[in-house]
Amino acid sequence: MTEIFFVGLGLIGGSLASNLKDANPDMIVSAYDADPKQLERAQSIGIIDKAVDDFRKGAKQADIMVFATPVQTTVKYLAALPTLQTKPGLIVTDTGSTKSTIQAHEANLLQHDIHLIGGHPMAGSHKSGVLNAKKHLFENAYYILVHDLPENADAHARIAQLLESTRAKLIQMTADAHDRVVGIVSHAPHLIASSLVSLNAHYASEAPLVQALAAGGFRDITRIASSNPEMWRDISLENKTHILNIMKQFQAQLTDVIHTLETENETDLYDFFAENKAYRDALPIRGKGALTSTYDLYVDIPDKAGTISQITDILSSHNISIRNLRILELREDIYGALRISFKNPDDRDRGRTALKDFDTYIE
Protein backbone atom coordinates (compact mmCIF):
# COMPACT_ATOMS: atom_id res chain seq x y z
CA MET A 1 0.00 0.00 0.00
CA THR A 2 1.39 3.42 -1.00
CA GLU A 3 2.15 5.87 1.79
CA ILE A 4 2.42 9.58 1.04
CA PHE A 5 4.15 11.57 3.74
CA PHE A 6 3.48 15.31 4.12
CA VAL A 7 6.00 17.56 5.84
CA GLY A 8 4.14 20.73 6.78
CA LEU A 9 0.36 20.92 7.09
CA GLY A 10 -0.67 24.51 6.54
CA LEU A 11 -3.24 25.62 3.98
CA ILE A 12 -1.38 24.25 0.94
CA GLY A 13 -0.17 21.00 2.51
CA GLY A 14 -3.52 20.39 4.16
CA SER A 15 -5.48 21.09 0.98
CA LEU A 16 -3.29 18.80 -1.09
CA ALA A 17 -3.45 16.05 1.54
CA SER A 18 -7.24 16.38 1.68
CA ASN A 19 -7.54 16.12 -2.09
CA LEU A 20 -5.25 13.12 -2.46
CA LYS A 21 -6.82 11.25 0.45
CA ASP A 22 -10.28 11.77 -1.01
CA ALA A 23 -9.18 10.60 -4.47
CA ASN A 24 -7.06 7.67 -3.24
CA PRO A 25 -8.87 5.95 -0.36
CA ASP A 26 -6.41 3.05 -0.39
CA MET A 27 -3.42 5.35 0.08
CA ILE A 28 -2.04 6.01 3.56
CA VAL A 29 -1.64 9.75 4.21
CA SER A 30 0.78 10.54 7.02
CA ALA A 31 2.17 13.88 8.10
CA TYR A 32 4.75 15.64 10.25
CA ASP A 33 4.57 19.28 11.31
CA ALA A 34 6.70 21.35 13.66
CA ASP A 35 3.43 22.37 15.34
CA PRO A 36 1.78 19.26 16.83
CA LYS A 37 -1.56 21.11 16.99
CA GLN A 38 -1.69 21.19 13.19
CA LEU A 39 -1.40 17.41 13.16
CA GLU A 40 -4.12 17.02 15.79
CA ARG A 41 -6.44 19.28 13.82
CA ALA A 42 -5.72 17.49 10.55
CA GLN A 43 -6.41 14.08 12.07
CA SER A 44 -9.57 15.27 13.81
CA ILE A 45 -11.11 16.39 10.51
CA GLY A 46 -9.91 13.34 8.60
CA ILE A 47 -7.29 14.95 6.36
CA ILE A 48 -4.57 12.51 7.39
CA ASP A 49 -4.56 8.89 8.50
CA LYS A 50 -1.73 9.19 10.97
CA ALA A 51 0.40 11.84 12.63
CA VAL A 52 4.17 11.32 12.79
CA ASP A 53 6.15 12.83 15.65
CA ASP A 54 9.59 12.23 14.10
CA PHE A 55 10.57 13.31 10.59
CA ARG A 56 13.09 10.47 10.23
CA LYS A 57 10.42 7.90 11.05
CA GLY A 58 8.06 9.35 8.45
CA ALA A 59 10.81 9.47 5.82
CA LYS A 60 11.61 5.79 6.41
CA GLN A 61 8.01 4.70 5.76
CA ALA A 62 7.22 6.96 2.80
CA ASP A 63 6.85 6.00 -0.85
CA ILE A 64 6.15 9.62 -1.80
CA MET A 65 7.12 12.67 0.23
CA VAL A 66 5.62 16.16 -0.09
CA PHE A 67 7.35 19.16 1.46
CA ALA A 68 4.79 21.90 2.08
CA THR A 69 7.25 24.02 4.03
CA PRO A 70 9.05 27.32 3.32
CA VAL A 71 11.72 26.87 0.65
CA GLN A 72 14.65 27.42 3.00
CA THR A 73 13.24 24.78 5.37
CA THR A 74 12.70 22.36 2.50
CA VAL A 75 16.30 22.81 1.36
CA LYS A 76 17.54 21.79 4.82
CA TYR A 77 15.41 18.63 4.73
CA LEU A 78 16.61 17.76 1.21
CA ALA A 79 20.23 18.10 2.28
CA ALA A 80 19.61 15.66 5.14
CA LEU A 81 17.66 13.04 3.16
CA PRO A 82 20.68 11.08 1.82
CA THR A 83 21.78 10.44 5.42
CA LEU A 84 18.44 8.82 6.32
CA GLN A 85 17.09 5.37 5.70
CA THR A 86 14.49 5.64 2.93
CA LYS A 87 12.68 3.23 0.63
CA PRO A 88 14.26 2.47 -2.77
CA GLY A 89 12.84 4.75 -5.47
CA LEU A 90 11.44 7.32 -3.04
CA ILE A 91 9.77 10.21 -4.92
CA VAL A 92 10.02 13.66 -3.36
CA THR A 93 8.14 16.81 -4.35
CA ASP A 94 7.45 20.20 -2.79
CA THR A 95 5.10 23.19 -3.04
CA GLY A 96 7.57 26.09 -2.84
CA SER A 97 7.36 29.23 -4.94
CA THR A 98 11.00 29.14 -6.09
CA LYS A 99 12.65 26.14 -7.66
CA SER A 100 16.36 26.65 -8.40
CA THR A 101 17.60 26.11 -4.84
CA ILE A 102 15.30 23.08 -4.57
CA GLN A 103 16.44 21.45 -7.82
CA ALA A 104 20.08 22.06 -6.93
CA HIS A 105 19.68 18.86 -4.85
CA GLU A 106 18.26 16.78 -7.71
CA ALA A 107 21.54 15.18 -8.87
CA ASN A 108 22.78 14.34 -5.38
CA LEU A 109 19.44 12.79 -4.36
CA LEU A 110 19.37 10.74 -7.55
CA GLN A 111 22.65 9.11 -6.53
CA HIS A 112 20.80 7.79 -3.47
CA ASP A 113 17.81 6.54 -5.51
CA ILE A 114 15.67 9.49 -4.43
CA HIS A 115 13.77 11.20 -7.25
CA LEU A 116 13.08 14.91 -6.83
CA ILE A 117 10.25 16.58 -8.75
CA GLY A 118 9.85 20.21 -7.79
CA GLY A 119 6.29 21.51 -7.57
CA HIS A 120 4.61 24.90 -7.36
CA PRO A 121 0.81 25.07 -7.10
CA MET A 122 -0.23 28.63 -7.94
CA ALA A 123 -3.14 28.71 -5.56
CA GLY A 124 -3.80 30.19 -2.16
CA SER A 125 -6.26 31.96 0.07
CA HIS A 126 -6.46 34.92 2.42
CA LYS A 127 -6.82 32.34 5.19
CA SER A 128 -4.13 30.03 6.53
CA GLY A 129 -3.78 26.86 8.55
CA VAL A 130 -4.97 23.31 8.06
CA LEU A 131 -8.49 24.08 9.33
CA ASN A 132 -8.97 26.23 6.22
CA ALA A 133 -7.78 23.46 3.88
CA LYS A 134 -9.96 22.87 0.83
CA LYS A 135 -9.60 19.82 -1.40
CA HIS A 136 -10.71 21.88 -4.43
CA LEU A 137 -8.19 24.68 -3.80
CA PHE A 138 -6.08 23.79 -6.85
CA GLU A 139 -8.89 23.38 -9.37
CA ASN A 140 -8.11 25.34 -12.58
CA ALA A 141 -4.92 26.72 -11.00
CA TYR A 142 -1.56 26.35 -12.70
CA TYR A 143 0.57 23.69 -11.04
CA ILE A 144 4.17 23.71 -12.25
CA LEU A 145 6.30 20.58 -12.08
CA VAL A 146 10.06 20.76 -12.44
CA HIS A 147 12.87 18.31 -13.06
CA ASP A 148 16.13 18.93 -14.87
CA LEU A 149 17.46 15.37 -15.23
CA PRO A 150 16.00 12.84 -17.72
CA GLU A 151 16.40 10.04 -15.16
CA ASN A 152 13.49 11.58 -13.26
CA ALA A 153 11.02 11.41 -16.16
CA ASP A 154 9.18 8.39 -14.70
CA ALA A 155 8.92 10.08 -11.30
CA HIS A 156 7.52 13.17 -13.02
CA ALA A 157 4.87 11.04 -14.72
CA ARG A 158 3.95 9.45 -11.38
CA ILE A 159 3.49 12.82 -9.66
CA ALA A 160 1.54 14.20 -12.63
CA GLN A 161 -0.78 11.19 -12.49
CA LEU A 162 -1.23 11.62 -8.75
CA LEU A 163 -2.14 15.29 -9.17
CA GLU A 164 -4.85 14.65 -11.76
CA SER A 165 -7.43 14.61 -8.96
CA THR A 166 -6.63 18.25 -8.14
CA ARG A 167 -7.93 19.27 -11.58
CA ALA A 168 -5.06 21.75 -11.76
CA LYS A 169 -3.41 22.78 -15.04
CA LEU A 170 -0.09 20.95 -14.95
CA ILE A 171 2.89 22.61 -16.66
CA GLN A 172 6.42 21.24 -17.00
CA MET A 173 9.32 23.72 -16.82
CA THR A 174 12.98 23.86 -15.89
CA ALA A 175 13.85 25.37 -12.53
CA ASP A 176 15.49 28.45 -14.07
CA ALA A 177 12.59 29.11 -16.46
CA HIS A 178 10.13 28.79 -13.58
CA ASP A 179 11.97 31.27 -11.38
CA ARG A 180 12.26 33.81 -14.19
CA VAL A 181 8.55 33.63 -15.03
CA VAL A 182 7.29 33.89 -11.45
CA GLY A 183 9.80 36.68 -10.88
CA ILE A 184 8.05 38.65 -13.63
CA VAL A 185 4.42 37.90 -12.75
CA SER A 186 4.62 37.60 -8.96
CA HIS A 187 7.85 38.39 -7.16
CA ALA A 188 8.75 41.76 -8.73
CA PRO A 189 5.10 42.98 -8.49
CA HIS A 190 5.20 42.36 -4.73
CA LEU A 191 8.32 44.52 -4.41
CA ILE A 192 6.80 47.21 -6.61
CA ALA A 193 3.53 47.22 -4.64
CA SER A 194 5.43 47.58 -1.37
CA SER A 195 7.50 50.39 -2.90
CA LEU A 196 4.31 52.23 -3.91
CA VAL A 197 3.02 51.94 -0.34
CA SER A 198 6.34 53.27 0.93
CA LEU A 199 6.06 56.21 -1.48
CA ASN A 200 2.54 56.91 -0.22
CA ALA A 201 3.70 56.81 3.40
CA HIS A 202 6.52 59.26 2.58
CA TYR A 203 4.12 61.87 1.24
CA ALA A 204 1.44 61.15 3.87
CA SER A 205 3.74 62.63 6.50
CA GLU A 206 3.60 65.93 4.59
CA ALA A 207 -0.06 65.86 3.53
CA PRO A 208 -2.50 63.80 5.66
CA LEU A 209 -5.06 63.70 2.83
CA VAL A 210 -2.71 61.41 0.90
CA GLN A 211 -3.49 58.55 3.27
CA ALA A 212 -7.20 59.33 3.34
CA LEU A 213 -7.55 59.42 -0.44
CA ALA A 214 -5.54 56.21 -0.82
CA ALA A 215 -8.44 54.24 0.66
CA GLY A 216 -9.97 53.43 -2.74
CA GLY A 217 -8.16 52.50 -5.93
CA PHE A 218 -4.67 52.87 -4.48
CA ARG A 219 -5.45 50.33 -1.80
CA ASP A 220 -6.72 47.92 -4.47
CA ILE A 221 -3.67 48.12 -6.74
CA THR A 222 -1.33 47.62 -3.77
CA ARG A 223 -3.33 44.77 -2.20
CA ILE A 224 -0.43 42.32 -2.45
CA ALA A 225 1.73 44.57 -0.27
CA SER A 226 -0.26 43.18 2.68
CA SER A 227 1.32 39.75 2.18
CA ASN A 228 3.38 37.99 4.86
CA PRO A 229 6.65 39.97 5.21
CA GLU A 230 8.71 37.01 6.45
CA MET A 231 7.64 34.86 3.51
CA TRP A 232 8.36 37.61 0.96
CA ARG A 233 11.73 38.38 2.48
CA ASP A 234 12.69 34.73 1.95
CA ILE A 235 11.23 34.54 -1.56
CA SER A 236 13.04 37.72 -2.60
CA LEU A 237 16.38 36.35 -1.42
CA GLU A 238 15.78 32.91 -2.96
CA ASN A 239 15.03 34.42 -6.38
CA LYS A 240 17.37 37.40 -6.09
CA THR A 241 19.12 37.03 -9.45
CA HIS A 242 15.97 37.05 -11.57
CA ILE A 243 14.23 39.69 -9.46
CA LEU A 244 17.20 42.06 -9.76
CA ASN A 245 17.25 41.70 -13.55
CA ILE A 246 13.52 42.37 -13.74
CA MET A 247 13.65 45.35 -11.37
CA LYS A 248 16.51 46.89 -13.35
CA GLN A 249 14.39 46.59 -16.51
CA PHE A 250 11.52 48.24 -14.63
CA GLN A 251 13.90 50.99 -13.52
CA ALA A 252 14.89 51.59 -17.15
CA GLN A 253 11.24 51.81 -18.18
CA LEU A 254 10.55 54.33 -15.41
CA THR A 255 13.47 56.39 -16.70
CA ASP A 256 11.88 56.38 -20.17
CA VAL A 257 8.53 57.51 -18.74
CA ILE A 258 10.21 60.31 -16.80
CA HIS A 259 11.96 61.47 -19.98
CA THR A 260 8.66 61.39 -21.89
CA LEU A 261 7.04 63.62 -19.27
CA GLU A 262 9.99 65.98 -19.06
CA THR A 263 9.98 66.50 -22.84
CA GLU A 264 6.15 66.66 -22.93
CA ASN A 265 6.11 64.16 -25.79
CA GLU A 266 2.36 63.75 -26.19
CA THR A 267 2.62 61.04 -28.84
CA ASP A 268 4.92 58.83 -26.79
CA LEU A 269 2.85 59.40 -23.65
CA TYR A 270 -0.34 58.42 -25.45
CA ASP A 271 1.34 55.33 -26.92
CA PHE A 272 2.60 54.37 -23.46
CA PHE A 273 -0.92 54.32 -22.02
CA ALA A 274 -2.59 52.87 -25.12
CA GLU A 275 -0.17 49.99 -25.64
CA ASN A 276 -0.25 48.96 -22.00
CA LYS A 277 -4.03 49.25 -21.88
CA ALA A 278 -4.32 46.96 -24.91
CA TYR A 279 -1.96 44.37 -23.41
CA ARG A 280 -3.67 44.50 -20.02
CA ASP A 281 -7.16 44.21 -21.53
CA ALA A 282 -6.04 41.10 -23.44
CA LEU A 283 -4.90 39.29 -20.28
CA PRO A 284 -7.05 36.27 -19.31
CA ILE A 285 -10.00 37.23 -17.13
CA ARG A 286 -10.84 33.77 -15.89
CA GLY A 287 -8.44 31.26 -14.47
CA LYS A 288 -5.88 31.45 -11.71
CA GLY A 289 -2.48 32.99 -12.18
CA ALA A 290 0.56 33.53 -10.00
CA LEU A 291 -1.15 36.20 -7.89
CA THR A 292 -4.19 35.34 -5.82
CA SER A 293 -7.26 36.63 -7.61
CA THR A 294 -10.15 38.61 -6.20
CA TYR A 295 -13.69 38.19 -7.48
CA ASP A 296 -15.62 41.40 -6.89
CA LEU A 297 -18.85 43.11 -7.84
CA TYR A 298 -19.22 46.87 -7.51
CA VAL A 299 -22.80 47.87 -6.70
CA ASP A 300 -24.07 51.44 -6.68
CA ILE A 301 -26.52 51.85 -3.81
CA PRO A 302 -28.59 54.76 -2.46
CA ASP A 303 -28.07 56.01 1.08
CA LYS A 304 -31.21 54.42 2.47
CA ALA A 305 -31.58 52.37 5.64
CA GLY A 306 -31.67 48.62 5.02
CA THR A 307 -30.20 48.70 1.50
CA ILE A 308 -27.11 46.65 2.34
CA SER A 309 -29.11 44.09 4.30
CA GLN A 310 -31.46 43.72 1.31
CA ILE A 311 -28.50 42.90 -0.93
CA THR A 312 -27.06 40.36 1.50
CA ASP A 313 -30.52 38.79 1.93
CA ILE A 314 -30.82 38.34 -1.84
CA LEU A 315 -27.43 36.66 -2.03
CA SER A 316 -28.22 34.48 0.97
CA SER A 317 -31.54 33.38 -0.53
CA HIS A 318 -29.61 32.16 -3.58
CA ASN A 319 -27.14 30.32 -1.32
CA ILE A 320 -24.24 32.50 -2.48
CA SER A 321 -21.39 32.97 -0.01
CA ILE A 322 -19.50 36.24 0.16
CA ARG A 323 -15.96 36.78 1.41
CA ASN A 324 -16.11 40.47 2.25
CA LEU A 325 -18.20 43.65 2.01
CA ARG A 326 -16.73 47.12 1.77
CA ILE A 327 -18.39 50.53 1.40
CA LEU A 328 -16.19 52.59 -0.91
CA GLU A 329 -18.21 55.78 -0.78
CA LEU A 330 -21.52 56.66 0.84
CA ARG A 331 -22.68 60.21 1.49
CA GLU A 332 -26.09 61.71 1.99
CA ASP A 333 -28.22 62.15 -1.15
CA ILE A 334 -25.78 60.36 -3.49
CA TYR A 335 -25.19 56.78 -4.49
CA GLY A 336 -22.39 54.91 -2.80
CA ALA A 337 -20.32 52.02 -4.08
CA LEU A 338 -20.51 48.68 -2.31
CA ARG A 339 -17.78 46.22 -3.17
CA ILE A 340 -18.81 42.62 -2.66
CA SER A 341 -16.00 40.04 -2.73
CA PHE A 342 -16.78 36.42 -3.56
CA LYS A 343 -14.80 33.22 -3.08
CA ASN A 344 -14.67 32.28 -6.77
CA PRO A 345 -15.75 33.57 -10.21
CA ASP A 346 -18.81 31.30 -10.34
CA ASP A 347 -20.19 32.82 -7.13
CA ARG A 348 -19.53 36.30 -8.53
CA ASP A 349 -21.44 35.48 -11.73
CA ARG A 350 -24.32 34.00 -9.75
CA GLY A 351 -24.33 37.11 -7.57
CA ARG A 352 -24.53 39.37 -10.61
CA THR A 353 -27.51 37.38 -11.88
CA ALA A 354 -29.25 37.35 -8.49
CA LEU A 355 -28.94 41.14 -8.14
CA LYS A 356 -29.93 42.05 -11.71
CA ASP A 357 -33.51 42.94 -10.72
CA PHE A 358 -32.44 44.97 -7.71
CA ASP A 359 -32.45 48.75 -8.09
CA THR A 360 -28.68 49.02 -8.46
CA TYR A 361 -25.99 49.51 -11.03
CA ILE A 362 -23.58 46.59 -11.11
CA GLU A 363 -20.18 46.29 -12.75
Side-chain angles (χ1 to χ4, degrees):
M1 184 176 291
T2 301
E3 179 166 338
I4 183 166
F5 175 47
F6 280 83
V7 182
L9 270 188
L11 174 73
I12 298 298
S15 296
L16 189 55
S18 177
N19 180 281
L20 297 181
K21 178 172 172 54
D22 182 70
N24 304 274
D26 294 333
M27 179 180 287
I28 298 174
V29 179
S30 60
Y32 168 80
D33 194 282
D35 180 2
K37 291 182 179 179
Q38 291 289 78
L39 297 176
E40 294 173 10
R41 292 163 182 160
Q43 201 158 19
S44 69
I45 58 180
I47 286 180
I48 62 173
D49 297 306
K50 63 179 184 180
V52 179
D53 60 5
D54 187 316
F55 168 72
R56 292 170 295 182
K57 185 192 303 181
K60 182 179 180 179
Q61 299 170 345
D63 297 287
I64 298 172
M65 189 181 302
V66 180
F67 288 102
T69 50
V71 170
Q72 293 179 349
T73 302
T74 300
V75 167
K76 293 177 182 178
Y77 279 121
L78 293 176
L81 267 183
T83 67
L84 305 181
Q85 184 178 355
T86 57
K87 289 184 178 181
L90 171 66
I91 299 176
V92 177
T93 188
D94 78 303
T95 61
S97 57
T98 58
K99 296 271 73 81
S100 293
T101 52
I102 297 290
Q103 294 309 123
H105 293 268
E106 184 177 359
N108 183 48
L109 290 173
L110 195 58
Q111 293 179 7
H112 296 82
D113 199 15
I114 300 173
H115 303 268
L116 175 61
I117 306 298
H120 180 194
M122 290 187 170
S125 170
H126 66 297
K127 296 182 179 180
S128 60
V130 72
L131 291 180
N132 292 303
K134 296 177 177 62
K135 64 182 179 182
H136 300 302
L137 181 67
F138 310 102
E139 187 171 339
N140 294 321
Y142 288 107
Y143 199 126
I144 297 174
L145 295 178
V146 170
H147 74 278
D148 294 330
L149 301 177
E151 294 90 339
N152 280 331
D154 288 344
H156 176 276
R158 177 71 178 96
I159 293 297
Q161 181 186 39
L162 187 67
L163 293 174
E164 286 179 359
S165 62
T166 66
R167 300 182 68 181
K169 301 174 183 177
L170 301 180
I171 299 177
Q172 181 177 350
M173 302 177 74
T174 65
D176 186 68
H178 166 275
D179 287 356
R180 182 171 184 271
V181 169
V182 296
I184 295 167
V185 300
S186 176
H187 301 169
H190 274 84
L191 285 166
I192 292 168
S194 292
S195 297
L196 288 173
V197 172
S198 178
L199 183 68
N200 185 280
H202 171 78
Y203 285 108
S205 63
E206 303 173 4
L209 274 178
V210 168
Q211 185 174 12
L213 296 178
F218 181 84
R219 184 180 174 88
D220 291 338
I221 65 173
T222 57
R223 172 180 56 85
I224 55 177
S226 291
S227 300
N228 184 300
E230 182 180 8
M231 178 181 74
W232 279 100
R233 176 200 63 195
D234 294 345
I235 288 174
S236 297
L237 292 174
E238 287 287 335
N239 202 21
K240 180 183 73 172
T241 299
H242 286 299
I243 292 174
L244 283 174
N245 288 336
I246 295 161
M247 294 294 285
K248 288 175 182 176
Q249 173 61 29
F250 180 62
Q251 187 178 44
Q253 291 180 216
L254 281 180
T255 300
D256 289 342
V257 172
I258 291 170
H259 177 72
T260 300
L261 281 173
E262 287 177 336
T263 58
E264 298 185 9
N265 190 321
E266 295 183 6
T267 300
D268 286 354
L269 192 59
Y270 174 86
D271 290 343
F272 170 77
F273 287 116
E275 290 170 5
N276 290 306
K277 176 185 184 304
Y279 180 83
R280 197 268 181 187
D281 290 349
L283 293 175
I285 297 175
R286 290 185 175 274
K288 300 178 182 179
L291 300 179
T292 303
S293 298
T294 55
Y295 307 106
D296 300 335
L297 285 181
Y298 291 84
V299 182
D300 284 347
I301 56 173
D303 183 12
K304 293 192 292 189
T307 301
I308 295 176
S309 63
Q310 284 182 274
I311 292 174
T312 56
D313 284 346
I314 291 172
L315 296 174
S316 177
S317 68
H318 286 78
N319 198 30
I320 302 171
S321 297
I322 61 175
R323 171 179 288 178
N324 195 15
L325 282 176
R326 183 178 170 207
I327 301 172
L328 301 182
E329 182 180 24
L330 190 57
R331 299 196 302 271
E332 188 176 0
D333 297 328
I334 71 166
Y335 275 68
L338 181 69
R339 186 175 72 186
I340 310 173
S341 300
F342 298 86
K343 294 181 178 179
N344 54 62
D346 291 334
D347 282 351
R348 179 185 57 191
D349 293 344
R350 291 172 57 221
R352 181 183 287 110
T353 300
L355 293 172
K356 68 179 181 179
D357 294 328
F358 193 73
D359 186 20
T360 60
Y361 173 74
I362 303 173
E363 60 177 329

